[in-house]
Amino acid sequence: MRLRALLDTDALGLELLGGEDELDRSVRGVMTTDLRDPSRYLSGGELVLTGLAWRRDADDSEPFVRLLVQSGVSALAAGEAELGSVPEDLVLACARHRLPLFAVRESVAFATITEHVVRQVSGERAGDLAAVVDRHRRMMTSGPAGGGPDVVLDLLGSDLDLRAWVLSPTGRPVAGSKAAGPALPAEVCARLAAEHLAATRAGRRAPHRVPVAGSMYSVFPVRNGARAPQAVGVSREVRETVLSDWLLVVEADAGDWADERLDLLYGVTQLIAVERDRRDAARTVRRRLAQEVLELVQTGAAPAEIAARLRVAAPVLLPGLGAAPHWQVVVARVEWEDDATETGPVAQALLEEILVDPRATGPEHSDRIAVAHTGDEAVALVPLPAVSTEHDGSETGVLADALLESVREPLSAGLDGDGRVTLGVSAAVHSAEGLRGALEESRHARRVAAARPGRVCAAGHQELASHVLLLPFVPDDVRRAFTARLLDPLRDYDRRHRAELIPTLETFLDSDGSWTRCANRLHLHVNTLRYRVGRIEQLTGRDLSRLEDKLDFFLALRMS
């Protein structure tokens, strides 16, 4: 509402004392205060009501008005009940700072003015929000490209002062309003996504209210359909969408919003969902290319035929490059407990999200990802413009641990108690002949990851040429017996004597049996180290100078 409208309402009993040229200012809220410095409670656009209890003498008016102006308030209304009239020093201070000033008659309660302003502002904002929805709906239906999520978020910011963002299910920023300012920190995004996934799986009603770092956020799912499932429990529908839905995040507490306002926000999510569907449709070509290559590889097609298909795929996935000199294969699987339904499409959508660089923003960065699915697994073809070699001889490219580093927290929350995600990554290959081996390699790596504890696990090709490949498949009873025979005597001794035989053993083996390096790392004299090693050998009956016994201790520590 405008300041001018306040003067037109006789019941408010307001008299304009200064600022006639500023009456077209908007009023976004109202605040009553008698603090000498109320700035910490002001966000801008308020009509400030004061009884003047803060004023002790004429010198107090100037700093009080200056603080209000710095906070961006729209106007000041001073009551006449305390002093009989508004003091001249306050009138002059407001004139100097071009702050509109009203006098409130003694017979009018501040509560009357507050109720009127709140009612008007709330009604106008609800109308503005309806206009936002209607305006953006027209934009998206009138042109082929639509406004995109950024446009509707900008409208929320400009029309309703709502800071809003769209996030992927793993917490990757997809869009943000200009009013939202700097991007949300990565840890905040991950926390919001994690809380949303956990709440959705539990069947809790959206929007989900999440306090993070002193701010309250409300999270709305972006999907086809109106509201989140109301029934408690994890339905098949939730399992199929929870790992692929975008999220609309608003920095506000929607817990006390009226149903009309909530319905309008859900209308905004519907508009964003339309844009999401358009972006997903663009993946159809890339998915089809990946599916064709996967079928050729799995059916044993000739390398020349596979190479021809790759030449078609490369320009689509790497525009401007023409061909991809190297390829990697990533396999993912989503497994729900007590559910035999096919999970390939779920894994496909999730893998498309995971393979996007977490430092990138916006959905267009998925344009270089081709993911197919077969049965319960998703298979990604990842084109690499080049593969460099690090100083240690390892090749760069997609790394298993790096894939999950930024998404582990939200995915673990979304799967806890109900499902798992496991991934395997192959080495880079430079020809069609190598794709079949890369596919098998990534599948073996995924099985290694599946043998590990945890809801979200990955393994890379490097681990297939190591003892790490064997350890996960050792039966639990054999594992327990082996580690107990070697390590339990040392643990018992450490517990009774407050010794550190286990840490000493770990450091000794990590130092390749070097007495000097181990003693330096433990900050011990070599004689003290020899005493500890002798105690280890005495308690276990093993000899740490023998390679076989060193290997047994090494494996026992790894399996424990």
Side-chain angles (χ1 to χ4, degrees):
M1 65 178 302
R2 305 290 179 181
L3 289 175
R4 191 178 306 279
L6 296 174
L7 287 176
D8 295 337
T9 306
D10 294 337
L12 299 183
L14 296 178
E15 178 187 355
L16 183 64
L17 301 182
E20 184 175 359
D21 295 337
E22 306 293 333
L23 291 181
D24 286 328
R25 291 186 182 185
S26 297
V27 178
R28 299 177 180 175
V30 62
M31 176 188 177
T32 300
T33 183
D34 276 314
L35 295 174
R36 295 172 63 85
D37 181 5
S39 57
R40 69 176 69 93
Y41 304 109
L42 297 168
S43 59
E46 296 92 348
L47 169 66
V48 175
L49 305 175
T50 180
L52 300 176
W54 50 266
R55 181 183 178 280
R56 291 189 294 256
D57 55 48
D59 292 336
D60 291 335
S61 293
E62 172 66 24
F64 180 78
V65 172
R66 186 169 59 250
L67 289 169
L68 296 185
V69 172
Q70 290 172 352
S71 299
V73 304
S74 293
L76 174 65
E80 297 179 339
E82 183 75 16
L83 302 178
S85 63
V86 177
E88 185 66 19
D89 51 87
L90 181 59
V91 176
L92 293 175
C94 288
R96 281 194 296 271
H97 292 279
R98 300 179 63 84
L99 179 66
L101 175 63
F102 299 95
V104 183
R105 289 200 301 263
E106 184 176 353
S107 59
V108 178
F110 282 177
T112 301
I113 300 174
T114 299
E115 182 181 355
H116 176 82
V117 173
V118 169
R119 185 168 58 248
Q120 293 296 318
V121 171
S122 297
E124 288 181 4
R125 285 193 173 182
D128 284 346
L129 185 53
V132 168
V133 175
D134 183 63
R135 189 183 342 168
H136 195 67
R137 182 177 288 114
R138 289 198 304 270
M139 289 173 61
M140 297 187 71
T141 57
S142 62
D150 298 274
V151 173
V152 71
L153 296 185
D154 287 341
L155 293 175
L156 288 177
S158 62
D159 291 11
L160 299 174
D161 298 325
L162 284 177
R163 287 161 45 88
W165 302 263
V166 174
L167 305 180
S168 76
T170 61
R172 179 177 58 86
V174 174
S177 63
K178 295 176 182 177
L184 286 174
E187 59 272 16
V188 174
C189 293
R191 171 76 182 282
L192 291 169
E195 293 289 339
H196 164 77
L197 290 175
T200 301
R201 283 190 56 261
R204 295 202 294 272
R205 182 190 296 270
H208 306 129
R209 299 163 60 248
V210 184
V212 182
S215 298
M216 179 63 76
Y217 298 89
S218 297
V219 183
F220 297 78
V222 176
R223 62 165 68 101
N224 291 327
R227 298 204 174 194
Q230 304 302 313
V232 175
V234 184
S235 67
R236 176 176 175 178
E237 179 186 356
V238 171
R239 283 174 167 172
E240 291 175 350
T241 62
V242 68
L243 299 180
S244 59
D245 286 340
W246 281 358
L247 326 175
L248 171 63
V249 176
V250 179
E251 189 177 9
D253 188 348
D256 56 355
W257 284 4
D259 287 343
E260 293 81 1
R261 188 177 182 86
L262 287 173
D263 287 340
L264 289 170
L265 257 295
Y266 278 109
V268 172
T269 68
Q270 293 290 311
L271 299 177
I272 298 174
V274 172
E275 185 63 21
R276 169 68 190 271
D277 291 342
R278 285 178 173 170
R279 303 289 175 92
D280 284 346
R283 291 181 173 177
T284 303
V285 174
R286 298 191 299 277
R287 285 179 170 181
R288 187 173 66 249
L289 288 172
Q291 199 75 39
E292 291 173 353
V293 173
L294 177 62
E295 290 174 0
L296 290 173
V297 171
Q298 291 190 135
T299 57
E305 186 177 358
I306 299 175
R309 192 70 64 184
L310 288 177
R311 284 194 294 272
V312 173
V316 177
L317 301 176
L318 293 174
L321 189 63
H326 296 86
W327 298 85
Q328 274 183 284
V329 177
V330 181
V331 170
R333 186 166 183 167
V334 176
E335 298 171 291
W336 301 111
E337 295 183 3
D338 304 323
D339 192 347
T341 58
E342 181 180 304
T343 57
V346 178
Q348 181 183 42
L350 182 60
L351 187 54
E352 286 172 336
E353 168 60 31
I354 290 176
L355 285 172
V356 177
D357 186 341
R359 295 165 297 183
T361 58
E364 69 279 0
H365 294 274
S366 63
D367 289 348
R368 295 184 175 184
I369 299 166
V371 184
H373 73 83
T374 172
D376 289 337
E377 72 177 9
V379 180
L381 290 175
V382 181
L384 303 175
V387 175
S388 61
T389 303
E390 301 290 351
H391 297 299
D392 60 0
S394 62
E395 291 183 341
T396 61
V398 176
L399 302 177
D401 290 339
L403 278 180
L404 297 182
E405 183 178 353
S406 62
V407 301
R408 194 181 303 274
E409 178 186 350
L411 288 183
S412 296
L415 295 163
D416 189 28
D418 189 49
R420 301 188 70 206
V421 172
T422 52
L423 287 89
V425 182
S426 78
V429 295
H430 65 277
S431 66
E433 290 88 342
L435 276 182
R436 181 173 300 173
L439 178 60
E440 290 304 315
E441 191 173 55
S442 60
R443 284 173 169 164
H444 282 306
R446 193 207 63 79
R447 285 193 284 271
V448 170
R452 295 172 176 168
R455 293 288 171 184
V456 183
C457 299
H461 63 94
Q462 303 92 336
E463 301 178 51
L464 300 184
S466 165
H467 65 279
V468 176
L469 175 63
L470 303 177
L471 295 185
F473 302 100
V474 177
D476 288 342
D477 55 342
V478 175
R479 182 193 302 264
R480 286 192 295 268
F482 183 74
T483 58
R485 185 178 300 114
L486 282 173
L487 302 182
D488 279 2
L490 306 183
R491 293 192 180 107
D492 292 342
Y493 187 90
D494 283 349
R495 185 168 53 253
R496 292 197 310 269
H497 300 280
R498 295 184 180 180
E500 295 184 348
L501 296 186
I502 291 289
T504 300
L505 176 61
E506 291 175 331
T507 307
F508 184 74
L509 295 175
D510 193 49
S511 301
D512 298 324
S514 169
W515 296 96
T516 302
R517 283 207 309 274
C518 182
N520 289 337
R521 291 175 62 179
L522 293 173
H523 306 290
L524 297 175
H525 192 278
V526 172
N527 290 339
T528 303
L529 175 60
R530 291 185 183 278
Y531 170 80
R532 289 188 183 180
V533 171
R535 179 64 67 184
I536 292 171
E537 294 174 334
Q538 180 185 11
L539 291 170
T540 61
R542 299 300 184 104
D543 182 357
L544 278 169
S545 65
R546 297 179 66 247
L547 176 61
E548 293 86 348
D549 288 341
K550 287 180 182 177
L551 179 59
D552 284 347
F553 276 122
F554 174 81
L555 293 175
L557 289 169
R558 285 300 181 95
M559 286 193 291
S560 65

